[in-house]
Amino acid sequence: MTDSSKPLDYVEAHLDDSLDRLFALMRVPSVSTDPAYAEQCQHAAQLLSDELNALGFDARVAPTPGHPMVVAHHDGDGPHILFYGHYDVQPVDPLELWKRDPFDPVIETRGDGAKQIVGRGASDDKGQLRTFVEACRAWKETEGRLPCKVTILFEGEEESGSKSLEPFLHANAEELKADFALICDTLMWDTETPGLTIGLRGMAAGQVTIRAASRDLHSGLYGGAARNPIQLLCSILGEMKDADGRVTLDGFYDGVPELDPAVRASWDALGFDPAEFLGEIGLSVPAGEKGHDVLEQIWSRPTAEVNGIWGGYTGEGFKTVIPAEAHAKVSFRLAGTQNPEKVWASFEDHVRSRLPADCSVEFTGRGPGSPAVTVSSDSPPLEATRAALDAEWGKAALIGCGGGIPVVTSISKILGMDTVLVGFALTDDNIHSPNEKYDLKSFHKGIRSWVRILEKIGEMAKVPA
Amino acid sequence: MTDSSKPLDYVEAHLDDSLDRLFALMRVPSVSTDPAYAEQCQHAAQLLSDELNALGFDARVAPTPGHPMVVAHHDGDGPHILFYGHYDVQPVDPLELWKRDPFDPVIETRGDGAKQIVGRGASDDKGQLRTFVEACRAWKETEGRLPCKVTILFEGEEESGSKSLEPFLHANAEELKADFALICDTLMWDTETPGLTIGLRGMAAGQVTIRAASRDLHSGLYGGAARNPIQLLCSILGEMKDADGRVTLDGFYDGVPELDPAVRASWDALGFDPAEFLGEIGLSVPAGEKGHDVLEQIWSRPTAEVNGIWGGYTGEGFKTVIPAEAHAKVSFRLAGTQNPEKVWASFEDHVRSRLPADCSVEFTGRGPGSPAVTVSSDSPPLEATRAALDAEWGKAALIGCGGGIPVVTSISKILGMDTVLVGFALTDDNIHSPNEKYDLKSFHKGIRSWVRILEKIGEMAKVPA
């Protein structure tokens, strides 16, 4: 048995030092999307690598065709974990909306007394990744060891498309492979409840163009006899969902599981108010599948969306045209083991089977599809993490995420590992916006949470590689 | 019994004089849309008024807030007809595509030997209106009278929106009221067959905007639970037609008659090739109602068209947005006694009845609706005209017109009169385009046709006013 009491005491005694180190990292303007800051990205990577070496990790700055990675290893008993974070930040434009220099962080006290770390990267992801590093420090400084074997990967291109990530994972798969991954880049459920994100929906997306006549036609001369591709596209996309909100594509729900009762119970305990959720965006009628509540509709159920449509005359006034073609951008959010390629193929079949013989269709603009990511609610890593969060906060929420987080898919696909997503950010953190902040409570209790998570993971039965 | 043999002989003997008078009118650049030509429009009106007075009409140039009208009366026995034409022409841009000065008309002989009058207004509508005036001249010069009572109205703003027309009809309704109207501004069926246009489809049109959430949403966070207004619009517009091409709006077909057997027989005799008609625009599958052939679909059946649609992200790449609103421009071509207001109201009901409680709809951009215009195939004026055309050409086609001709609707609405549309233009006349022409045969046999039509109208039993 390990005992986290000394490390936790250390966190309490040295919180100001932890903050100083966070501020030092935040002062480096590591804006990855702007080539002018390339040296600063290198500097941020070096700072972290040096610090991890000083802490007893075997760390290095690993070059890529873009900004470098930081890779660090520390031995330990028990399971082997891979912790992922990113040291790069979003640009600060529009600068005039910041109340102070984005790269000169401070602690501010809000009207309600809550203390907040303000500056670019406070939350996303410098503040969050530092909760993990400071937890490792607390263990090392008090117990001289880590409760489990730890590999760290810090990326420098998360905010600019992660171009180097997958090639790097492929090239260094042996070195980076662990029992499972942990990421600290997600949200809490609310200010009192840390979030464990157990599902990320996948994605399949592309563009469809339907062509009818060889040129635009006057509806007076041809209206009725000539196929209207807008009408046809509307009919085809309209039939993609039935009156109960279910997607009608052939085989669409293959691999979509019913909700795990344990997850269902956890969601029921969240006190989620669907009326309030929809009310905030001016809506009141859940649009998804009948028989599934709003949380399921956004977290665990797949859906089909038309994200854009255009065709014919769209200017002022009226033009009685029957256009030659019509276009739409269509995407699918995926759940369970739905296969993005199969879903898109089924969409293509849906369109083609409804096409008259004299019309044609073209599918373009396919993004790389990604399957959904699901963490089983009874997986040992999740159980261990949840127990640790319970110990620190008194509770933890198993939450879903309607969108994908690409690195989770990459880690699953290339390294074959599951990921546990633990986050202490709040929806009002202004990430990607001026006046980004991170609650001091998130930082403080986030460090304490990782101290406990490392302990619980160390106590796990060894997970087979 | 009147006898048209002397007037017809006069036409033959004086065709060159008739051409000279047409050329004199064509040399006046009466481009109505360009204020720089206002004086020339006045000049064209004066020329016609003077000529009609010289012929024995009581003619005048009648001012309007725009270009003037020419109004002329001539007494006669038998029915009273109103003949409408327009002396204004389209602009000539692009001038560099004309083979010669658009306002210096000539006769050109085509490779196949056909002689053609070339210049702006040759066909639309100076050549066509002159066929009627020259026929009146032939009667006056040979018989000293006209076979029926004639009122003439020449407009000067037909090519620029006809802004003064309806006010003028209202203000001068008593003076202009006749038994029926005749217009020479339409097409022949082919070079051997003059056209009697017996139906013009009506129109109802407007724009629909569907609104859902109060702002654009990220489909990862809200996709499934939040209503997608594009999807909703597609579904609503898709359901506007059924699988058999029928419009599903409640009561839509109220007032749409089955095709008159006499008209059906006339159309069957046209030798129309639907495969060729559709093939020219790259299509092969008639899109209209099952059970109605292509000519019916474009001439006598109503239809619904989406003329434009837009919403969401329509640029390069992909954006997983659920937009707050989606828009479409929708129009209906009407037949029989379909009421434009009722059809649009039924469309609004169709949309509203499919709208979830948290979405809203706005209808904007309504144009002035017009009902269809139908001339009964056994109406005495049509019978008389058809008999005259048969006598001249050996045949005449009863044809439909998929679009509307606004003046016909105005005459019907304001003066309560039916209109017979007789035309000698051809589809290759380049109206509104460079190198406009009118076949000399159209001009020559057009004058002869009107000589005979006036005779046949004079023989009609007096039509009740």
Side-chain angles (χ1 to χ4, degrees), chain B residues 354-379:
Chain B
R354 284 162 175 78
L355 219 57
D358 55 355
C359 293
S360 67
V361 62
E362 188 181 5
F363 299 98
T364 56
R366 286 295 310 286
S370 61
V373 172
T374 312
V375 181
S376 164
S377 67
D378 57 0
S379 85

Side-chain angles (χ1 to χ4, degrees), chain B residues 254-374:
Chain B
D254 290 356
V256 179
E258 284 307 303
L259 194 60
D260 182 329
V263 176
R264 174 77 269 171
S266 167
W267 291 0
D268 286 343
L270 292 177
F272 173 78
D273 182 346
E276 189 186 327
F277 174 80
L278 289 176
E280 278 171 4
I281 52 169
L283 297 176
S284 61
V285 183
E289 294 166 86
K290 284 215 171 64
H292 295 279
D293 68 15
V294 167
L295 275 189
E296 291 181 80
Q297 289 175 8
I298 57 173
W299 283 352
S300 67
R301 300 300 300 176
T303 184
E305 300 291 347
V306 186
N307 303 104
I309 194 164
W310 68 104
Y313 181 70
T314 60
E316 279 299 302
F318 218 92
K319 214 168 141 179
T320 50
V321 66
I322 299 176
E325 54 187 45
H327 318 262
K329 293 184 192 276
V330 175
S331 67
F332 301 91
R333 297 279 171 181
L334 308 179
T337 59
Q338 276 182 302
N339 178 316
E341 293 308 314
K342 278 190 186 161
V343 165
W344 189 261
S346 179
F347 172 64
E348 292 194 1
D349 288 348
H350 172 90
V351 177
R352 287 203 177 92
S353 70
R354 284 162 175 78
L355 219 57
D358 55 355
C359 293
S360 67
V361 62
E362 188 181 5
F363 299 98
T364 56
R366 286 295 310 286
S370 61
V373 172
T374 312

Side-chain angles (χ1 to χ4, degrees), chain A residues 138-157:
Chain A
W139 274 101
K140 286 288 290 181
E141 295 290 345
T142 55
E143 301 287 347
R145 63 181 182 85
L146 297 183
C148 57
K149 183 176 175 183
V150 174
T151 294
I152 287 177
L153 175 66
F154 292 145
E155 185 191 0
E157 300 179 314

Side-chain angles (χ1 to χ4, degrees), chain B residues 117-442:
Chain B
I117 305 159
V118 179
R120 175 55 88 223
S123 175
D124 181 18
D125 185 40
K126 288 175 174 173
Q128 299 237 65
L129 75 80
R130 270 236 171 264
T131 59
F132 181 81
V133 174
E134 294 301 313
C136 291
R137 178 183 307 276
W139 275 100
K140 285 290 287 184
E141 296 290 346
T142 55
E143 303 286 347
R145 63 180 181 85
L146 296 183
C148 57
K149 183 175 176 183
V150 174
T151 294
I152 286 176
L153 175 66
F154 291 145
E155 184 190 3
E157 299 179 315
E158 202 269 353
E159 302 292 5
S160 55
S162 291
K163 288 209 177 61
S164 306
L165 180 69
E166 293 210 345
F168 191 83
L169 295 184
H170 275 293
N172 300 276
E174 277 310 303
E175 181 183 353
L176 297 170
K177 181 103 180 75
D179 294 318
F180 57 92
L182 288 156
I183 297 180
C184 189
D185 197 16
T186 46
L187 292 174
M188 301 191 34
W189 170 249
D190 57 31
T191 57
E192 309 297 327
T193 320
L196 265 163
T197 300
I198 58 160
L200 303 167
R201 289 195 292 189
M203 177 91 156
Q207 185 170 315
V208 53
T209 296
I210 288 180
R211 297 192 171 89
S214 50
R215 58 178 174 83
D216 285 1
L217 306 173
H218 188 287
S219 78
L221 300 178
Y222 292 95
R227 187 71 53 181
N228 184 322
I230 304 179
Q231 180 79 29
L232 181 59
L233 182 63
C234 283
S235 165
I236 287 172
L237 297 179
E239 288 174 8
M240 200 162 64
K241 280 189 183 171
D242 69 14
D244 289 336
R246 276 180 70 86
V247 177
T248 61
L249 303 187
D250 220 36
F252 182 75
Y253 289 96
D254 290 356
V256 179
E258 284 307 303
L259 194 60
D260 182 329
V263 176
R264 174 77 269 171
S266 167
W267 291 0
D268 286 343
L270 292 177
F272 173 78
D273 182 346
E276 189 186 327
F277 174 80
L278 289 176
E280 278 171 4
I281 52 169
L283 297 176
S284 61
V285 183
E289 294 166 86
K290 284 215 171 64
H292 295 279
D293 68 15
V294 167
L295 275 189
E296 291 181 80
Q297 289 175 8
I298 57 173
W299 283 352
S300 67
R301 300 300 300 176
T303 184
E305 300 291 347
V306 186
N307 303 104
I309 194 164
W310 68 104
Y313 181 70
T314 60
E316 279 299 302
F318 218 92
K319 214 168 141 179
T320 50
V321 66
I322 299 176
E325 54 187 45
H327 318 262
K329 293 184 192 276
V330 175
S331 67
F332 301 91
R333 297 279 171 181
L334 308 179
T337 59
Q338 276 182 302
N339 178 316
E341 293 308 314
K342 278 190 186 161
V343 165
W344 189 261
S346 179
F347 172 64
E348 292 194 1
D349 288 348
H350 172 90
V351 177
R352 287 203 177 92
S353 70
R354 284 162 175 78
L355 219 57
D358 55 355
C359 293
S360 67
V361 62
E362 188 181 5
F363 299 98
T364 56
R366 286 295 310 286
S370 61
V373 172
T374 312
V375 181
S376 164
S377 67
D378 57 0
S379 85
L382 191 81
E383 285 297 330
T385 308
R386 192 179 184 181
L389 292 172
D390 273 342
E392 176 61 28
W393 299 80
K395 57 186 171 181
L398 299 181
I399 61 181
C401 179
I405 297 182
V407 64
V408 177
T409 306
S410 301
I411 287 173
S412 168
K413 191 174 63 181
I414 299 166
L415 304 181
M417 290 155 61
D418 288 337
T419 296
V420 175
L421 293 142
V422 182
F424 307 102
L426 292 167
T427 49
D428 66 356
D429 276 355
N430 298 326
I431 68 165
H432 297 202
S433 297
N435 307 307
E436 181 176 349
K437 63 90 179 166
Y438 196 44
D439 280 24
L440 182 59
K441 177 177 168 184
S442 287

Side-chain angles (χ1 to χ4, degrees), chain A residues 421-451:
Chain A
L421 293 142
V422 183
F424 306 103
L426 292 166
T427 51
D428 66 356
D429 275 356
N430 299 327
I431 69 165
H432 297 201
S433 298
N435 306 307
E436 181 176 348
K437 62 90 178 166
Y438 197 44
D439 280 23
L440 183 58
K441 179 177 168 185
S442 287
F443 186 64
H444 177 191
K445 287 178 78 71
I447 300 170
R448 291 176 57 94
S449 296
W450 284 115
V451 167

Side-chain angles (χ1 to χ4, degrees), chain A residues 191-251:
Chain A
T191 56
E192 308 296 328
T193 320
L196 264 164
T197 300
I198 58 158
L200 304 167
R201 289 195 292 187
M203 177 89 154
Q207 185 171 317
V208 54
T209 295
I210 287 179
R211 298 192 171 90
S214 49
R215 58 179 174 86
D216 285 2
L217 305 173
H218 187 286
S219 78
L221 300 179
Y222 292 95
R227 187 71 53 183
N228 185 321
I230 304 179
Q231 180 81 26
L232 181 60
L233 182 63
C234 283
S235 164
I236 287 172
L237 297 179
E239 288 174 8
M240 200 163 63
K241 280 189 183 172
D242 68 15
D244 290 337
R246 274 179 72 85
V247 176
T248 61
L249 304 187
D250 218 39

